[in-house]
Amino acid sequence: MIKPSEKEIIVKYLGKQPSRSIIPVLNKKRIFNARGKSFSPKSIQDIINGKTENFKVETQIVKIVEAAQKTENDIESLKQEVFNKKFL
């Protein structure tokens, strides 16, 4: 179950509409709902809000957030490297 503090982190890295970046990953990894169809934005929203539990989806959300966090950290370190150099 996703906790409110975890939801804040998800929103920070994936934006206010995180289902837009989550659903394509789930489809690519062939993770579907009980009916064998793609998850709807509402079902992803319910999982993120903690109303519904789904271990597989929650695991993928954590992996997506981890990748987004790594990308952001890489960008920040590159910015520091480039902008903090002393020019000759």
Side-chain angles (χ1 to χ4, degrees), residues 59-71:
T59 302
Q60 289 304 313
I61 291 171
V62 170
K63 289 180 181 180
I64 294 166
V65 170
E66 181 182 35
Q69 194 174 28
K70 183 180 181 305
T71 301

Side-chain angles (χ1 to χ4, degrees), residues 2-29:
I2 294 178
K3 298 175 188 142
S5 60
E6 296 167 337
K7 178 185 173 189
E8 289 177 22
I9 295 169
I10 292 169
V11 170
K12 177 183 175 187
Y13 287 102
L14 301 182
K16 290 282 185 186
Q17 297 177 337
S19 59
R20 288 186 178 188
S21 55
I22 295 169
I23 292 173
V25 173
L26 295 176
N27 290 340
K28 184 177 180 184
K29 296 195 180 249

Side-chain angles (χ1 to χ4, degrees), residues 38-53:
S38 179
F39 281 91
S40 68
K42 174 69 175 145
S43 60
I44 298 297
Q45 181 182 10
D46 287 346
I47 292 168
I48 291 173
N49 288 333
K51 293 179 182 175
T52 308
E53 276 190 63

